[in-house]
Amino acid sequence: MPTAVEQIHAKIAELETKIADLRIAERELLALEKSSARQAPPAPEPKIKQKPGPKAKQKPAPKASLRPKVQSEPKAKAPAEARQTIGNAITGVIDQHGALSAAEIAEHVKATGRDINNRTVSFALQALKKRGLAKNTDGKWSLPKARGRRPAASTEASNQPAEAAE
């Protein structure tokens, strides 16, 4: 049986490992907070209202509207404009990695640091499909083939080797 001193040393060792784990978790949280702080644009400073000049030519006050203006709307839209939409993130993943299942797409989007689940990706993929921006073949999602003409430079470049072969 271990002595009291040995038991105390064992308990100290357990506590030190727990402290080390907590320090690692703390560093990870700080890194996440710093990265999210970098992505968010700084809040705009409130504008200072200036006193009106001389009363010589002032415009009449605007008529009151039936619907009151909500002051929080522009502030709520600012962070949304800075972030990429889910649809753009999904099409970027498909463009980069090729045809993928919805679960694989969700994993790639999560890897970019976005808090998203498979259901959200599935709904976004269905919306992209309705708009003709994505297609589903055998459970794999891909981008539809680009329709339209190729640029003239690429067709001329492809004709040059044919002419050299003649």
Side-chain angles (χ1 to χ4, degrees), residues 73-87:
E73 283 183 17
K75 293 178 184 177
K77 290 182 182 178
E81 291 172 358
R83 290 195 77 177
Q84 183 183 30
T85 64
I86 294 172

Side-chain angles (χ1 to χ4, degrees), residues 7-107:
Q7 289 176 347
I8 291 172
H9 285 297
K11 189 67 173 180
I12 289 172
E14 287 177 26
L15 291 173
E16 286 175 346
T17 57
K18 287 182 182 179
I19 289 172
D21 291 340
L22 289 172
R23 286 189 177 140
I24 291 170
E26 180 185 22
R27 282 194 299 267
E28 290 175 354
L29 285 173
L30 288 174
L32 287 173
E33 288 175 0
K34 286 180 184 176
S35 65
S36 65
R38 285 185 209 141
Q39 292 175 353
E45 295 180 12
K47 294 181 180 179
I48 300 172
K49 293 184 179 180
Q50 297 178 351
K51 293 183 179 180
K55 293 186 178 183
K57 291 186 178 180
Q58 286 186 349
K59 292 183 180 179
K63 295 179 181 178
S65 64
L66 298 175
R67 188 175 137 211
K69 292 182 181 179
V70 179
Q71 296 294 331
S72 63
E73 283 183 17
K75 293 178 184 177
K77 290 182 182 178
E81 291 172 358
R83 290 195 77 177
Q84 183 183 30
T85 64
I86 294 172
N88 285 341
I90 289 172
T91 54
V93 167
I94 295 172
D95 189 36
Q96 186 178 20
H97 297 285
L100 297 170
S101 68
E104 292 170 330
I105 293 170
E107 288 176 14

Side-chain angles (χ1 to χ4, degrees), residues 105-124:
I105 293 170
E107 288 176 14
H108 285 289
V109 174
K110 282 180 193 176
T112 63
R114 191 152 192 163
D115 185 24
I116 194 169
N117 58 28
N118 293 1
R119 183 178 181 195
T120 306
V121 170
S122 178
F123 283 127

